Amino acid sequence: MNASDAADPALTPDAFLPDALLDSFRERAVVHDRENTFPDDDLADLRERGYLRLLVPTELGGLGASLLEATRIQRRLAQAAPATALSMNMHLVVTGAALHTHRLGVDSVRTVLEDAAADQLFAFGISEAGNDAMLFDSSTRADEQPGGGFQLTGTKIFTSLAPVWDRLVVHGRVAEASEADPKLLFGVLERTASIEVLDDWDTHGMRPSQSRTTRLRSAPVAADRVLTSTPVGPNQDPFVMGIFGAFELLIASVYTGIAERAIAVGTRIATTRRNATKGIVHADDPDIRWRLADAAIAVDGVILQIEKVMADLDALGTGEQGTGLTDHGPRWFLHFSGVKSRATETAIAAVDQVLRASGGAQYFRRSELERLSRDVRAGMYHPSDEESVHASYAKALLGDIGAPRTALPR
């Protein structure tokens, strides 16, 4: 039996996020995009629905959702308020990684799940300017303290939920580790005077996410809030793998949700907009029909990919086996990044197809499609970006640049 077969009816997207709630989110999204403000009311509504406890096991006080259920819920939320969905992704990435690690019997992440069960909001402080290695290295310095724990000094960028988070998961390079054996530290910070959140978020799209720059100045990670320590470089540490998988697939879900909404809006426009030259509604115009169908075909394909790989990740954590489930072994990270890449690029292309099918009125700021077209383009900036995905696949196919070559078998 697959994880989705035993889904709680209360956690289906339509039940968890009813239409009336999404209508409110969609109305607010217009205002927050225009005013460049964080959607506090959205967060309050989601807290009330138990969103922060979504991925916490029921035995720890949570709702007990699977990672697959979370992707479906995030797609639905993104159809109403893309930036709200993107912001909440970061809490779900942290709790999703903790869930995966907890399932594998690692105790260090239990505090993350307990905090989330107590309605503490997590953000994700990993991105750093110029750090293409992302999870596998850091320009932030982690100094070990005599009494235990660490102090972190560095600058994190694109920190969604910046105005409102309660806990921040960060990583840093351990200062005392030898160059022959460099180490990374992953831990949890609380808001203190050692953390400065800049008010510098003024962007083309995803404006309400308020993903501001965060400066750490000897910010303390207590010994009991250290989540894991890993070598520098690619590794399959359970928490790191959980972060990578949850991040890539939840990101893919948000941008796919945006594309789904664009197709729905474009379909509605096509049923009422007329071609005066041909004397027909656009829904009967072969060119318009082809564009909308082309967008829908591509989006359907990435939904299937997201759901397949996320179901496999759920099963990896629970030890579930059976027909249709796959342990991808050394190719897990390739599949995580590949799905994210295909999903975000498909979403951008799909929204563009809908825009081309929907006329010049959608170029005005009053149009929902105009806003969706700006929000969807943020997908190209999230890791893994197109360059790193192609580099990873090229390495898997061809080895490192300059490596000795042997003829491949025919």
Side-chain angles (χ1 to χ4, degrees):
M1 180 178 70
N2 292 339
S4 58
D5 293 336
D8 181 346
L11 295 177
T12 59
D14 290 356
F16 195 66
L17 296 174
D19 287 342
L21 182 63
L22 291 192
D23 288 344
S24 296
F25 285 2
R26 193 169 288 121
E27 291 172 4
R28 295 170 190 162
V30 177
V31 177
H32 291 299
D33 174 72
R34 182 177 64 244
E35 298 180 354
N36 195 29
T37 51
F38 184 81
D40 292 291
D41 289 342
D42 289 3
L43 176 58
D45 285 338
L46 292 172
R47 279 187 190 272
E48 186 177 350
R49 307 228 23 113
Y51 221 84
L52 274 59
R53 297 180 283 115
L54 183 64
L55 288 173
V56 178
T58 54
E59 65 269 21
L60 296 180
L63 300 185
S66 67
L67 292 165
L68 177 58
E69 287 170 324
T71 66
R72 293 169 176 169
I73 290 169
Q74 282 293 89
R75 275 175 42 218
R76 181 163 169 80
L77 179 57
Q79 292 171 35
T84 299
L86 182 64
S87 298
M88 298 309 297
N89 245 19
M90 304 313 155
H91 177 84
L92 296 179
V93 167
V94 172
T95 54
L99 172 63
H100 174 73
T101 309
H102 175 74
R103 285 168 164 174
L104 296 175
V106 179
D107 290 334
S108 61
V109 298
R110 185 183 178 97
T111 54
V112 170
L113 297 171
E114 290 173 340
D115 279 354
D119 212 36
Q120 297 297 298
L121 180 64
F122 280 87
F124 188 56
I126 298 295
S127 295
E128 299 165 337
N131 177 16
D132 293 336
M134 297 302 296
L135 285 169
F136 302 130
D137 203 352
S138 177
S139 58
T140 295
R141 178 186 175 99
D143 292 293
E144 192 165 6
Q145 300 304 294
F150 290 81
Q151 290 185 346
L152 273 66
T153 300
T155 300
K156 304 294 185 177
I157 59 174
F158 294 113
T159 313
S160 300
L161 299 168
V164 293
W165 59 258
D166 302 303
R167 304 282 189 270
L168 183 67
V169 169
V170 294
H171 76 332
R173 193 165 184 162
V174 179
E176 288 76 12
S178 70
E179 284 304 310
D181 186 28
K183 299 288 187 184
L184 294 177
L185 176 283
F186 291 79
V188 179
L189 297 173
E190 298 183 14
R191 283 192 187 266
T192 66
S194 61
I195 299 173
E196 180 187 9
V197 176
L198 305 186
D199 187 4
D200 62 347
W201 189 249
D202 187 11
T203 51
H204 177 64
M206 288 293 185
R207 291 165 61 79
S209 73
Q210 291 301 300
S211 305
R212 304 174 184 180
T213 301
T214 303
R215 291 177 179 163
L216 312 177
R217 297 187 177 92
S218 300
V221 174
D224 62 351
R225 301 318 301 265
V226 173
L227 300 175
T228 192
S229 179
T230 73
V232 169
N235 64 86
Q236 290 202 349
D237 175 271
F239 186 68
V240 171
M241 184 175 180
I243 289 177
F244 201 110
F247 184 91
E248 299 285 61
L249 298 176
L250 286 167
I251 284 287
S253 300
V254 166
Y255 290 98
T256 300
I258 294 173
E260 288 181 282
R261 175 61 182 173
I263 292 168
V265 173
T267 299
R268 187 179 69 239
I269 291 170
T271 62
T272 57
R273 183 168 171 254
R274 297 189 64 83
N275 185 316
T277 302
K278 297 179 180 179
I280 57 175
V281 294
H282 277 243
D284 293 335
D285 186 317
D287 294 331
I288 301 302
R289 293 171 68 87
W290 189 93
R291 288 195 183 278
L292 294 176
D294 187 62
I297 290 166
V299 169
D300 271 358
V302 295
I303 292 171
L304 295 174
Q305 294 175 51
I306 293 166
E307 297 219 339
K308 163 60 177 165
V309 179
M310 193 60 107
D312 289 342
L313 183 60
D314 269 322
L316 183 69
T318 61
E320 185 180 353
Q321 297 179 340
T323 303
L325 296 173
T326 308
D327 182 344
H328 299 284
R331 295 182 66 84
W332 275 108
F333 288 91
L334 284 178
H335 288 316
F336 292 150
S337 61
V339 170
K340 180 269 172 185
S341 170
R342 291 189 293 274
T344 53
E345 292 299 311
T346 294
I348 292 169
V351 173
D352 284 352
Q353 282 285 51
V354 175
L355 283 171
R356 293 174 186 274
S358 300
Q362 310 314 313
Y363 195 60
F364 284 81
R365 289 293 295 269
R366 62 177 178 267
S367 161
E368 183 179 358
L369 282 178
E370 185 276 335
R371 176 168 51 81
L372 294 177
S373 75
R374 287 185 287 108
D375 284 346
V376 77
R377 289 176 208 289
M380 71 178 74
Y381 298 108
H382 292 286
S384 299
D385 61 23
E386 286 294 278
E387 292 79 9
S388 67
V389 174
H390 282 76
S392 295
Y393 270 81
K395 182 176 180 178
L397 291 168
L398 302 169
D400 290 316
I401 294 174
R405 306 295 177 199
T406 57
L408 294 174
R410 292 182 180 273

